[in-house]
Amino acid sequence: HSFRVAEYAAMIAEKMGWDATEISNLKDAVYMYDVGKIGIPDAILNKPTSLTEEEYELIKAHTVIGADILKNITIIDHVAEIAKYHHERYDGKGYPDGLKGEEIPIAAQVVSIADVYDAMTAARSYRAPLCPFEVIAEFEKDGLQKYKPKYILTFLENIANAYQNNRVMLSDGTSARIVLLNHRRLSKPLVQLDDGACIDLEKSPLYIKAII
């Protein structure tokens, strides 16, 4: 998980114009950003059903635990603040401190996007992984409030571009190929069915269910 998040965060940082040293430092920090989870019981981390309110409060503590573990590390810039603030949200509804907008350190803003994307597209004990286009749709729904718009839009654009010309399965079970991205709705590209017919998903109730 940390390796994938580091790669996604580095992609955002590169598109934002960070230099190679800054990107390398960011990746090193992300390799350790979730270390605070060692202070959370495995039974809660791997619980296959919904968390209780008390269990969720324990999970949230991993940010503070991680920051405390990493607080004396000076060889990697921002490592403790990334650990502490990667669950803060631009609208102020994150944790542990409810920071809002530019109160959130820039590196933590970048990592928060990468962290959530990987969590949603990876398998969990309580659900199967979501298709990248389903995740993009979720980000389009409310991500502009939760994350810095410039960062989230850059990230989604690059994720969608990675699947240009890919074969996909639609929500009705038919297969198709992505032929043209829709930059207004990245989750709703133009697709071509196996019989040659094209569907503009922005004008259809169908959606991309899986990459094949």
Side-chain angles (χ1 to χ4, degrees), residues 6 9-15 17-29:
M11 180 182 74
I12 299 170
E14 181 181 3
K15 297 299 180 181
W18 294 23
D19 65 34
T21 299
E22 291 172 324
I23 294 172
S24 178
N25 180 90
L26 177 67
K27 292 174 71 173
D28 288 342

Side-chain angles (χ1 to χ4, degrees), residues 104-125:
I104 308 168
I106 291 174
Q109 292 186 40
V110 170
V111 174
S112 69
I113 295 169
D115 175 74
V116 170
Y117 178 80
D118 186 68
M120 294 177 75
T121 54
R124 286 290 183 265
S125 58

Side-chain angles (χ1 to χ4, degrees), residues 49-69:
T49 55
S50 298
L51 297 173
T52 66
E53 185 175 335
E54 292 78 11
E55 289 169 339
Y56 183 54
E57 289 301 315
L58 282 174
I59 286 282
K60 292 196 291 186
H62 82 274
T63 56
V64 177
I65 295 169
D68 188 59
I69 291 170

Side-chain angles (χ1 to χ4, degrees), residues 113-162:
I113 295 169
D115 175 74
V116 170
Y117 178 80
D118 186 68
M120 294 177 75
T121 54
R124 286 290 183 265
S125 58
Y126 51 87
R127 62 155 174 80
L130 297 178
C131 167
F133 281 89
E134 289 182 290
V135 178
I136 290 173
E138 286 296 315
F139 275 120
E140 288 177 330
K141 181 180 177 182
D142 58 11
L144 295 184
Q145 288 75 47
K146 291 183 177 181
Y147 309 97
K148 187 169 184 174
K150 182 178 180 181
Y151 292 172
I152 188 64
L153 291 172
T154 296
F155 179 71
L156 296 182
E157 183 91 21
N158 279 273
I159 292 295
N161 279 333

Side-chain angles (χ1 to χ4, degrees), residues 39-51:
I40 310 301
D42 287 348
I44 295 177
L45 286 176
N46 301 318
K47 187 178 180 181
T49 55
S50 298
L51 297 173

Side-chain angles (χ1 to χ4, degrees), residues 69-111:
I69 291 170
L70 300 170
K71 65 184 178 183
N72 293 321
I73 292 181
T74 58
I75 195 171
I76 303 173
D77 295 337
H78 311 299
V79 63
E81 69 180 28
I82 289 173
K84 186 172 184 179
Y85 297 127
H86 68 275
H87 282 289
E88 298 287 0
R89 295 293 177 259
Y90 214 66
D91 58 6
K93 296 181 180 179
Y95 63 86
D97 293 340
L99 301 184
K100 187 175 183 178
E102 296 308 312
E103 294 174 351
I104 308 168
I106 291 174
Q109 292 186 40
V110 170
V111 174

